[in-house]
Amino acid sequence: MKVLVAAPLHEKALEVLKNAGFEIVYEEYPDEDRLLELVRDVDAIIVRSKPKVTRRVIENAPKLKVIGRAGVGLDNIDLEAAKERGIKVVNSPGASSRSVAELVFGLLFAVARKIAFADRKMREGVWAKKQCLGIELEGKTMGIIGFGRIGYQVAKIAKAFGMNVLLYDPKPNEERAKEVGGKFVELETLLKESDVVTLHVPLIDATYHLINEERLKLMKKTAILINAARGPVVDTNALVKALQEGWIYGAGLDVFEEEPLPKDHPLTELDNVVLTPHIGASTEEAQMRAGVQVAEQIVEILKG
Protein backbone atom coordinates (compact mmCIF):
# COMPACT_ATOMS: atom_id res chain seq x y z
CA MET A 1 0.00 0.00 0.00
CA LYS A 2 1.15 3.52 -0.80
CA VAL A 3 0.90 6.59 1.44
CA LEU A 4 1.45 10.11 0.12
CA VAL A 5 2.96 12.37 2.77
CA ALA A 6 2.28 15.85 1.37
CA ALA A 7 3.64 17.90 4.30
CA PRO A 8 6.54 17.67 6.77
CA LEU A 9 5.97 14.75 9.17
CA HIS A 10 7.90 13.76 12.30
CA GLU A 11 10.39 10.93 11.78
CA LYS A 12 8.64 8.79 14.41
CA ALA A 13 5.41 9.01 12.39
CA LEU A 14 7.28 7.95 9.25
CA GLU A 15 8.68 4.99 11.22
CA VAL A 16 5.14 3.89 12.13
CA LEU A 17 4.20 3.86 8.42
CA LYS A 18 7.41 2.10 7.34
CA ASN A 19 7.08 -0.56 10.08
CA ALA A 20 3.58 -1.30 8.76
CA GLY A 21 5.19 -2.09 5.39
CA PHE A 22 3.77 0.88 3.50
CA GLU A 23 5.51 2.57 0.59
CA ILE A 24 5.93 6.27 1.35
CA VAL A 25 5.89 9.00 -1.29
CA TYR A 26 7.03 12.32 0.17
CA GLU A 27 6.57 15.72 -1.43
CA GLU A 28 6.31 18.87 0.68
CA TYR A 29 3.23 21.04 0.05
CA PRO A 30 2.54 20.23 -3.63
CA ASP A 31 0.11 22.55 -5.44
CA GLU A 32 -3.21 21.16 -6.65
CA ASP A 33 -2.01 20.25 -10.17
CA ARG A 34 0.94 18.30 -8.76
CA LEU A 35 -1.31 16.71 -6.13
CA LEU A 36 -3.63 15.47 -8.89
CA GLU A 37 -0.69 13.53 -10.35
CA LEU A 38 0.60 12.21 -7.02
CA VAL A 39 -2.72 10.79 -5.76
CA ARG A 40 -3.52 8.57 -8.75
CA ASP A 41 -2.34 5.36 -7.07
CA VAL A 42 -2.20 6.11 -3.35
CA ASP A 43 -4.23 4.48 -0.57
CA ALA A 44 -3.76 7.33 1.91
CA ILE A 45 -2.77 11.01 2.02
CA ILE A 46 -1.31 12.85 4.99
CA VAL A 47 -1.41 16.67 5.09
CA ARG A 48 -1.05 19.41 7.67
CA SER A 49 -2.78 22.82 7.40
CA LYS A 50 -1.89 22.56 3.72
CA PRO A 51 -2.09 21.45 0.96
CA LYS A 52 -5.84 21.46 0.35
CA VAL A 53 -7.43 18.11 -0.41
CA THR A 54 -10.13 19.34 -2.78
CA ARG A 55 -12.96 17.48 -4.53
CA ARG A 56 -10.79 17.39 -7.69
CA VAL A 57 -7.98 15.70 -5.77
CA ILE A 58 -10.33 13.16 -4.18
CA GLU A 59 -11.99 12.35 -7.50
CA ASN A 60 -8.57 11.78 -9.06
CA ALA A 61 -7.58 9.17 -6.44
CA PRO A 62 -9.48 5.94 -7.21
CA LYS A 63 -7.64 3.86 -4.56
CA LEU A 64 -7.86 6.46 -1.78
CA LYS A 65 -9.25 5.05 1.49
CA VAL A 66 -8.13 7.53 4.13
CA ILE A 67 -7.03 11.17 4.46
CA GLY A 68 -5.05 12.15 7.56
CA ARG A 69 -4.53 15.67 8.89
CA ALA A 70 -1.56 15.83 11.26
CA GLY A 71 -3.04 18.54 13.43
CA VAL A 72 -6.26 20.18 14.58
CA GLY A 73 -9.18 21.01 12.31
CA LEU A 74 -10.18 19.70 8.91
CA ASP A 75 -10.88 22.93 7.04
CA ASN A 76 -8.43 22.13 4.21
CA ILE A 77 -10.18 18.84 3.36
CA ASP A 78 -13.40 18.56 1.32
CA LEU A 79 -15.29 16.41 3.83
CA GLU A 80 -18.40 16.13 1.66
CA ALA A 81 -16.44 14.74 -1.30
CA ALA A 82 -14.63 12.28 1.01
CA LYS A 83 -17.94 11.12 2.54
CA GLU A 84 -19.47 10.53 -0.89
CA ARG A 85 -16.58 8.19 -1.71
CA GLY A 86 -16.60 6.47 1.69
CA ILE A 87 -13.11 7.78 2.42
CA LYS A 88 -12.28 8.07 6.11
CA VAL A 89 -10.84 11.33 7.40
CA VAL A 90 -8.74 11.37 10.59
CA ASN A 91 -6.79 13.98 12.50
CA SER A 92 -5.03 14.53 15.83
CA PRO A 93 -7.09 17.17 17.63
CA GLY A 94 -5.42 16.88 21.04
CA ALA A 95 -1.80 16.63 19.89
CA SER A 96 -0.99 20.35 19.91
CA SER A 97 -3.29 21.58 22.69
CA ARG A 98 -0.55 22.24 25.23
CA SER A 99 1.79 23.80 22.65
CA VAL A 100 -0.88 26.24 21.46
CA ALA A 101 -1.87 27.08 25.04
CA GLU A 102 1.74 27.84 25.96
CA LEU A 103 2.13 30.05 22.87
CA VAL A 104 -0.95 32.00 23.98
CA PHE A 105 0.95 32.97 27.13
CA GLY A 106 4.11 33.64 25.15
CA LEU A 107 2.17 36.13 23.02
CA LEU A 108 0.40 37.50 26.07
CA PHE A 109 3.64 38.22 27.94
CA ALA A 110 5.18 39.73 24.82
CA VAL A 111 2.27 42.20 24.58
CA ALA A 112 1.67 42.81 28.31
CA ARG A 113 5.36 43.44 29.06
CA LYS A 114 6.21 44.87 25.61
CA ILE A 115 8.97 42.30 25.21
CA ALA A 116 9.06 42.26 21.40
CA PHE A 117 9.00 46.07 21.28
CA ALA A 118 11.78 46.29 23.89
CA ASP A 119 13.89 43.78 21.97
CA ARG A 120 13.51 45.78 18.72
CA LYS A 121 14.53 48.98 20.50
CA MET A 122 17.57 47.31 22.12
CA ARG A 123 18.77 46.14 18.70
CA GLU A 124 18.34 49.70 17.41
CA GLY A 125 20.55 50.90 20.26
CA VAL A 126 17.63 52.60 22.06
CA TRP A 127 17.24 52.21 25.87
CA ALA A 128 13.41 52.46 25.85
CA LYS A 129 12.79 51.77 29.53
CA LYS A 130 10.18 54.53 29.97
CA GLN A 131 8.21 53.28 26.94
CA CYS A 132 8.08 49.72 28.29
CA LEU A 133 5.71 50.12 31.23
CA GLY A 134 3.68 46.91 31.24
CA ILE A 135 0.92 45.13 33.15
CA GLU A 136 0.82 42.10 35.47
CA LEU A 137 -1.42 39.07 34.90
CA GLU A 138 -2.20 38.16 38.50
CA GLY A 139 -5.71 39.21 39.49
CA LYS A 140 -6.66 40.00 35.88
CA THR A 141 -9.54 38.27 34.05
CA MET A 142 -8.84 35.86 31.20
CA GLY A 143 -11.79 35.48 28.82
CA ILE A 144 -11.61 32.23 26.84
CA ILE A 145 -13.84 31.97 23.76
CA GLY A 146 -14.14 28.26 22.95
CA PHE A 147 -13.66 25.86 25.84
CA GLY A 148 -12.43 22.73 24.10
CA ARG A 149 -9.07 20.99 24.53
CA ILE A 150 -6.96 24.11 23.98
CA GLY A 151 -9.26 26.44 25.91
CA TYR A 152 -9.09 24.04 28.85
CA GLN A 153 -5.27 24.06 28.80
CA VAL A 154 -5.24 27.87 28.62
CA ALA A 155 -7.60 28.03 31.61
CA LYS A 156 -5.33 25.72 33.64
CA ILE A 157 -2.33 27.98 33.02
CA ALA A 158 -4.37 31.14 33.69
CA LYS A 159 -5.46 29.70 37.03
CA ALA A 160 -1.82 29.00 37.93
CA PHE A 161 -1.03 32.67 37.25
CA GLY A 162 -3.76 33.72 39.68
CA MET A 163 -6.11 34.97 36.97
CA ASN A 164 -9.90 34.90 37.05
CA VAL A 165 -11.35 32.83 34.20
CA LEU A 166 -14.47 33.64 32.17
CA LEU A 167 -15.63 31.17 29.52
CA TYR A 168 -17.88 31.29 26.49
CA ASP A 169 -18.87 28.22 24.52
CA PRO A 170 -22.15 27.26 22.78
CA LYS A 171 -21.90 23.88 24.58
CA PRO A 172 -20.80 24.69 28.14
CA ASN A 173 -19.06 21.89 30.04
CA GLU A 174 -19.68 22.92 33.66
CA GLU A 175 -17.72 20.00 35.11
CA ARG A 176 -14.49 20.95 33.30
CA ALA A 177 -15.09 24.61 34.10
CA LYS A 178 -15.15 23.76 37.81
CA GLU A 179 -11.73 22.09 37.49
CA VAL A 180 -10.18 25.39 36.42
CA GLY A 181 -12.36 27.71 38.48
CA GLY A 182 -13.95 29.06 35.30
CA LYS A 183 -17.38 30.63 34.91
CA PHE A 184 -19.52 30.51 31.76
CA VAL A 185 -20.98 33.84 30.65
CA GLU A 186 -22.52 35.33 27.50
CA LEU A 187 -20.07 36.46 24.80
CA GLU A 188 -20.85 40.17 25.28
CA THR A 189 -20.27 39.85 29.05
CA LEU A 190 -16.95 38.12 28.49
CA LEU A 191 -15.79 40.83 26.07
CA LYS A 192 -16.79 43.65 28.43
CA GLU A 193 -15.27 42.15 31.59
CA SER A 194 -12.06 40.46 30.40
CA ASP A 195 -8.57 41.94 30.56
CA VAL A 196 -7.38 39.31 28.09
CA VAL A 197 -9.57 37.72 25.40
CA THR A 198 -8.22 34.59 23.72
CA LEU A 199 -9.87 32.69 20.85
CA HIS A 200 -10.04 28.91 20.59
CA VAL A 201 -12.81 28.16 18.10
CA PRO A 202 -12.82 26.36 14.74
CA LEU A 203 -13.38 28.32 11.53
CA ILE A 204 -17.01 27.73 10.56
CA ASP A 205 -19.72 30.04 9.20
CA ALA A 206 -20.75 31.02 12.74
CA THR A 207 -17.21 32.04 13.75
CA TYR A 208 -16.19 33.96 10.61
CA HIS A 209 -15.39 37.52 11.80
CA LEU A 210 -16.72 36.58 15.24
CA ILE A 211 -14.54 39.43 16.54
CA ASN A 212 -15.66 42.41 14.46
CA GLU A 213 -15.73 46.18 14.96
CA GLU A 214 -18.83 46.07 17.15
CA ARG A 215 -17.33 43.43 19.47
CA LEU A 216 -13.90 45.06 19.63
CA LYS A 217 -15.66 48.20 20.86
CA LEU A 218 -17.15 46.20 23.74
CA MET A 219 -13.68 45.35 25.06
CA LYS A 220 -11.82 47.37 27.68
CA LYS A 221 -9.32 49.94 26.43
CA THR A 222 -6.78 48.10 28.60
CA ALA A 223 -7.62 44.66 27.12
CA ILE A 224 -5.37 42.37 25.08
CA LEU A 225 -6.70 40.15 22.26
CA ILE A 226 -4.93 36.86 21.46
CA ASN A 227 -5.70 34.82 18.35
CA ALA A 228 -3.97 31.47 17.93
CA ALA A 229 -7.03 29.76 16.40
CA ARG A 230 -7.85 30.73 12.80
CA GLY A 231 -7.18 34.09 11.14
CA PRO A 232 -10.66 34.78 9.72
CA VAL A 233 -12.24 34.52 13.20
CA VAL A 234 -11.08 38.16 13.56
CA ASP A 235 -11.99 40.95 11.13
CA THR A 236 -8.47 42.18 10.36
CA ASN A 237 -9.49 45.65 9.15
CA ALA A 238 -11.50 46.22 12.33
CA LEU A 239 -8.58 45.01 14.47
CA VAL A 240 -6.09 47.32 12.73
CA LYS A 241 -8.47 50.21 13.42
CA ALA A 242 -8.84 49.14 17.08
CA LEU A 243 -5.07 49.00 17.55
CA GLN A 244 -4.43 52.28 15.74
CA GLU A 245 -7.15 54.18 17.60
CA GLY A 246 -6.57 52.64 21.03
CA TRP A 247 -9.87 50.79 21.47
CA ILE A 248 -7.78 48.01 23.07
CA TYR A 249 -4.29 47.86 24.63
CA GLY A 250 -2.78 45.40 22.16
CA ALA A 251 -2.96 42.05 20.40
CA GLY A 252 -0.93 38.87 19.95
CA LEU A 253 -1.59 37.08 16.67
CA ASP A 254 -0.34 33.72 15.42
CA VAL A 255 -2.90 33.39 12.60
CA PHE A 256 -4.08 35.71 9.85
CA GLU A 257 -6.80 36.03 7.23
CA GLU A 258 -4.06 35.97 4.61
CA GLU A 259 -1.11 33.64 5.20
CA PRO A 260 1.75 34.32 4.78
CA LEU A 261 1.08 37.87 6.00
CA PRO A 262 2.04 40.33 3.23
CA LYS A 263 5.28 42.23 3.89
CA ASP A 264 3.64 45.67 3.85
CA HIS A 265 0.54 44.72 5.89
CA PRO A 266 -0.68 47.48 8.28
CA LEU A 267 -0.28 45.10 11.25
CA THR A 268 3.50 45.05 10.71
CA GLU A 269 3.69 48.79 11.33
CA LEU A 270 2.08 48.74 14.79
CA ASP A 271 4.05 48.54 18.03
CA ASN A 272 1.10 47.26 20.12
CA VAL A 273 0.79 43.96 18.26
CA VAL A 274 3.04 40.88 18.37
CA LEU A 275 3.03 38.65 15.27
CA THR A 276 4.16 35.04 14.85
CA PRO A 277 3.90 32.91 11.65
CA HIS A 278 1.27 30.30 12.64
CA ILE A 279 3.59 28.45 15.03
CA GLY A 280 1.03 27.32 17.63
CA ALA A 281 1.71 23.65 16.99
CA SER A 282 5.37 24.13 16.08
CA THR A 283 7.02 22.30 18.95
CA GLU A 284 8.97 19.07 18.80
CA GLU A 285 6.47 17.41 21.16
CA ALA A 286 3.32 18.51 19.30
CA GLN A 287 4.70 17.52 15.90
CA MET A 288 5.68 14.10 17.18
CA ARG A 289 2.26 13.50 18.79
CA ALA A 290 0.32 14.79 15.77
CA GLY A 291 2.26 12.71 13.27
CA VAL A 292 2.28 9.50 15.28
CA GLN A 293 -1.43 9.69 16.14
CA VAL A 294 -2.41 10.15 12.48
CA ALA A 295 0.03 7.49 11.26
CA GLU A 296 -1.33 4.96 13.77
CA GLN A 297 -4.92 5.66 12.68
CA ILE A 298 -3.96 5.22 9.02
CA VAL A 299 -2.25 1.89 9.75
CA GLU A 300 -5.34 0.73 11.65
CA ILE A 301 -7.70 1.71 8.81
CA LEU A 302 -5.60 0.33 5.93
CA LYS A 303 -4.83 -2.92 7.74
CA GLY A 304 -8.25 -3.18 9.41
Side-chain angles (χ1 to χ4, degrees):
M1 290 190 178
K2 191 183 278 190
V3 178
L4 169 63
V5 178
L9 202 63
H10 196 277
E11 59 190 35
K12 286 193 177 176
L14 294 172
E15 276 174 33
V16 169
L17 298 171
K18 284 173 186 169
N19 291 341
F22 297 155
E23 181 188 341
I24 297 168
V25 178
Y26 177 73
E27 189 158 327
E28 190 174 316
Y29 301 137
D31 62 22
E32 189 179 45
D33 288 342
R34 178 65 180 143
L35 205 47
L36 290 171
E37 292 174 33
L38 292 167
V39 297
R40 284 177 188 156
D41 62 344
V42 302
D43 300 275
I45 305 170
I46 297 178
V47 296
R48 285 175 59 183
S49 56
K50 55 183 187 178
K52 287 188 176 181
V53 184
T54 61
R55 179 174 287 275
R56 278 182 75 208
V57 170
I58 289 167
E59 287 173 352
N60 216 49
K63 290 176 68 184
L64 191 62
K65 299 174 189 71
V66 56
I67 302 164
R69 160 81 195 268
V72 184
L74 297 165
D75 38 295
N76 58 321
I77 298 166
D78 190 324
L79 298 175
E80 195 57 40
K83 189 179 176 183
E84 285 169 20
R85 282 270 315 278
I87 295 164
K88 292 189 176 174
V89 179
V90 298
N91 68 342
S92 49
S96 61
S97 299
R98 185 67 190 192
S99 293
V100 175
E102 289 186 8
L103 181 69
V104 165
F105 281 86
L107 290 167
L108 177 51
F109 276 116
V111 178
R113 296 304 304 271
K114 303 189 179 177
I115 295 169
F117 170 76
D119 178 74
R120 280 197 299 277
K121 290 298 174 190
M122 290 291 283
R123 291 168 194 272
E124 290 165 11
V126 178
W127 190 260
K129 186 170 181 173
K130 284 184 181 176
Q131 294 165 264
C132 292
L133 184 69
I135 53 174
E136 290 183 355
L137 299 187
E138 188 179 20
K140 301 294 193 299
T141 297
M142 168 75 86
I144 301 169
I145 299 175
F147 190 55
R149 294 178 183 89
I150 298 169
Y152 173 72
Q153 291 291 336
V154 170
K156 273 170 64 177
I157 300 170
K159 188 183 178 187
F161 275 114
M163 300 182 81
N164 306 308
V165 177
L166 292 181
L167 307 166
Y168 171 75
D169 196 291
K171 296 176 182 175
N173 185 332
E174 296 288 357
E175 207 172 296
R176 295 211 92 185
K178 274 182 195 169
E179 289 177 35
V180 294
K183 177 187 169 191
F184 281 103
V185 293
E186 292 301 316
L187 181 57
E188 282 69 23
T189 305
L190 182 147
L191 292 168
K192 285 175 184 174
E193 296 183 9
S194 298
D195 299 293
V196 180
V197 174
T198 181
L199 302 161
H200 301 289
V201 294
L203 178 59
I204 55 175
D205 289 344
T207 62
Y208 177 77
H209 284 188
L210 179 71
I211 302 301
N212 52 23
E213 190 166 317
E214 183 188 344
R215 288 185 171 138
L216 283 161
K217 283 180 174 173
L218 291 175
M219 291 171 66
K220 295 179 181 182
K221 286 196 171 184
T222 53
I224 294 169
L225 177 71
I226 305 289
N227 187 12
R230 291 287 184 265
V233 172
V234 176
D235 179 340
T236 307
N237 293 334
L239 178 60
V240 168
K241 201 172 170 186
L243 292 165
Q244 286 171 338
E245 297 180 13
W247 305 353
I248 62 173
Y249 180 87
L253 308 173
D254 184 48
V255 289
F256 307 90
E257 291 200 70
E258 188 181 350
E259 293 183 9
L261 190 71
K263 193 177 178 182
D264 56 352
H265 196 281
L267 284 170
T268 63
E269 294 164 17
L270 299 168
D271 281 330
N272 56 344
V273 62
V274 174
L275 313 169
T276 52
H278 205 145
I279 58 169
S282 296
T283 63
E284 182 71 24
E285 295 86 351
Q287 289 307 304
M288 188 270 288
R289 286 192 295 263
V292 169
Q293 284 174 19
V294 162
E296 285 174 347
Q297 290 177 85
I298 283 171
V299 170
E300 199 176 315
I301 289 162
L302 293 183
K303 293 207 160 187

